[in-house]
Amino acid sequence: MATLRDLFLWIGLWYISQVQGISKFTNIECLSMDETFTNISLCRLYAVKRDVVEMSLRAHILDWPKRPVSMRMQLLKKASGYKPFLYNVYQSDVCEYLEKRNHPFVNIILNSFGNRTNVNKCPVPPEIILEHFRFPVKVLDLMPLPTGDYGLFTTFSFDRKERAQVKVYFTLTEYR
């Protein structure tokens, strides 16, 4: 026979399972440290609705080097500045990664782009396009994150020099 305590326990568990969240982009920065490598023509967020923000990016790769281009992806959480949170992934060759798809965290991020980008394999097209990309809420099912402000910093480099960087900031808020 169910007791009052059991009833409150079930109501509490149901309530917790009904908690939903808002997740949206808050800022984006695109930096080209080497103008002979890339030119970024579009890097901005668009407010579609109150809780919906879309991101668009266009970068022209002027001369893809013959040497491997490395990529570093960092997930940071805001706590008196942005601090390393969970992931700091270094891929020594972008083309090798695009062929093998051998890192779970990077797979989650890049697979969430779906058909919003033209970068799927090498050779990388001369113009990289990401259009009308909304925060991938389904990613949070694979990689649950606590409430807070986050930054996803992606840096591209070759010859031991950083050439381009994209910093995407987003927030996660739980609500009932």
Side-chain angles (χ1 to χ4, degrees), residues 23-28 43-56 132-135:
S23 47
K24 67 179 184 175
F25 297 116
T26 56
N27 196 8
I28 184 171
C43 178
R44 71 177 290 192
L45 299 177
Y46 300 94
V48 177
K49 294 190 262 180
R50 180 178 181 160
D51 296 327
V52 178
V53 177
E54 293 180 343
M55 174 174 49
S56 291
H132 304 291
F133 177 66
R134 293 183 182 189
F135 190 90

Side-chain angles (χ1 to χ4, degrees), residues 104-115:
F105 172 68
V106 180
N107 289 347
I108 290 170
I109 302 300
L110 295 184
N111 290 343
S112 68
F113 292 159
N115 60 359

